[in-house]
Amino acid sequence: MFFKFKVSKLANLYFFISNLSAWSPYTYKKDYNNFWIEKTGPLTNQEIIALTDFKELHLKYPYGHSYLGNLFTNEKNDLSKISQTLPLIDQKILIQTFELLETRFEKIWSIEEPLLKEWKILLEKYFADLNLKYIFEILEILYDVKIDYSQSMEVFILFSTPDRTGGEASNGPNKLTLKISRYDKNRVSHAIGIILHEIIHLIFEKKTFFPMIFQNVRDIDKQVHLIKETAASSLFPKGILGYLFLNNPIATQLLPQIDQQQSKLCIELMQKYVDNKYKLDNNYIKQIIKILLKKYPSGL
């Protein structure tokens, strides 16, 4: 599997405006907005109105097949082509918002672009030395799936703050985003772990692991997310495989929603499955639910 790291101005412009609009409660990060506004000045009333309109627009194209963000990671697209895929009223909102915020974005882009290019070189070098096939063979056993090793993955490198990084696997087939520009360059292995975590979401967990979770939980929206994140985080970036292959320290707390004792039990359970070359089965999910019930006594 080949990884292509992309520094895209359009993808970063979308991320900048998308996060400023706070359209998604799942991915919105307030500290990004605070950081950008500190660098570029307070939002004007006109910008606030435009971002509010954009938020309402984006809610019509949320995560899934129609996700608006997918259009901004297609290198054949520009803003004109993207807008033409939308109804006229939505075209107008999209273009007006982007044109209004572009000057503010340019103030940051001139600084961020060289940082993004430095990260691109670092990530390419690290991946070139990584035994991905061995890692993926372990994941194939765990998630009971065979993957296509001939496929390539595009990783779009985005703005970040100095103390936060993160990834998403919601931009379409074989595409990831990594927020990394300002992150500490001595922590490349952690960034690699985030990419591998998102790869789990993108190509490993959907075929067999998802259906098993659905069979065992009541609240689809919240608890499917919690269980799949617990499993992936027990592996990368600071789980069993992150420690084994990237020398990342094992996390004391895997997720904000679960405490340190729960995290310890989840990691020990995953260690058992990795060591014995077991696939993640219904029994694994039932044991994870049992661990999580200590914090959610009303049930999953």
Side-chain angles (χ1 to χ4, degrees), residues 3-100:
F3 282 77
K4 300 177 181 178
F5 294 92
K6 306 282 188 177
V7 176
S8 165
K9 188 174 185 179
L10 183 63
N12 275 280
L13 177 58
Y14 164 75
F15 170 57
F16 179 74
I17 293 175
S18 174
N19 200 78
L20 282 174
S21 75
W23 77 272
S24 170
Y26 298 104
T27 57
Y28 166 63
K29 298 293 185 289
K30 186 177 180 180
D31 55 338
Y32 284 123
N33 286 1
N34 291 342
F35 183 72
W36 297 334
I37 290 170
E38 179 186 338
K39 299 294 182 184
T40 62
L43 293 170
T44 66
N45 288 337
Q46 188 180 11
E47 287 174 328
I48 292 171
I49 293 169
L51 288 167
T52 300
D53 291 341
F54 181 77
K55 177 179 180 178
E56 293 177 2
L57 163 67
H58 208 314
L59 289 170
K60 295 164 62 177
Y61 306 94
Y63 294 114
H65 179 70
S66 63
Y67 177 46
L68 186 63
N70 290 352
L71 300 173
F72 294 87
T73 54
N74 185 336
E75 293 184 309
K76 296 180 181 178
N77 285 345
D78 56 25
L79 188 59
S80 175
K81 289 181 180 178
I82 291 168
S83 66
Q84 289 171 18
T85 66
L86 307 177
L88 285 174
I89 189 170
D90 294 346
Q91 288 184 34
K92 183 178 179 181
I93 294 170
L94 181 74
I95 292 173
Q96 286 182 344
T97 305
F98 274 65
E99 288 181 348
L100 183 62

Side-chain angles (χ1 to χ4, degrees), residues 192-220:
I192 299 295
I194 291 172
I195 293 172
L196 294 172
H197 176 105
E198 297 303 329
I199 287 290
I200 291 172
H201 292 320
L202 190 62
I203 66 174
F204 283 97
E205 68 184 14
K206 294 178 182 178
K207 185 176 180 180
T208 60
F209 193 57
F210 261 15
M212 284 192 292
I213 301 177
F214 292 141
Q215 294 169 12
N216 287 280
V217 300
R218 301 174 186 174
D219 187 329
I220 296 299

Side-chain angles (χ1 to χ4, degrees), residues 97-158:
T97 305
F98 274 65
E99 288 181 348
L100 183 62
L101 274 295
E102 190 171 11
T103 300
R104 182 182 292 270
F105 169 82
E106 289 289 351
K107 294 178 183 178
I108 298 178
W109 177 251
S110 62
I111 299 170
E112 299 286 335
E113 184 182 17
L115 301 177
L116 293 167
K117 289 181 176 179
E118 289 176 16
W119 266 106
K120 180 178 184 291
I121 294 170
L122 287 172
L123 293 169
E124 287 173 340
K125 184 177 184 302
Y126 202 109
F127 261 87
D129 297 331
L130 196 60
N131 191 343
L132 282 175
K133 192 171 189 303
Y134 188 24
I135 293 171
F136 288 168
E137 285 173 352
I138 295 172
L139 294 175
E140 283 183 318
I141 292 171
L142 287 170
Y143 285 94
D144 191 24
V145 63
K146 292 294 182 182
I147 66 168
D148 178 5
Y149 282 88
S150 67
Q151 63 187 318
S152 62
M153 289 285 164
E154 293 183 318
V155 181
F156 288 82
I157 312 171
L158 305 178

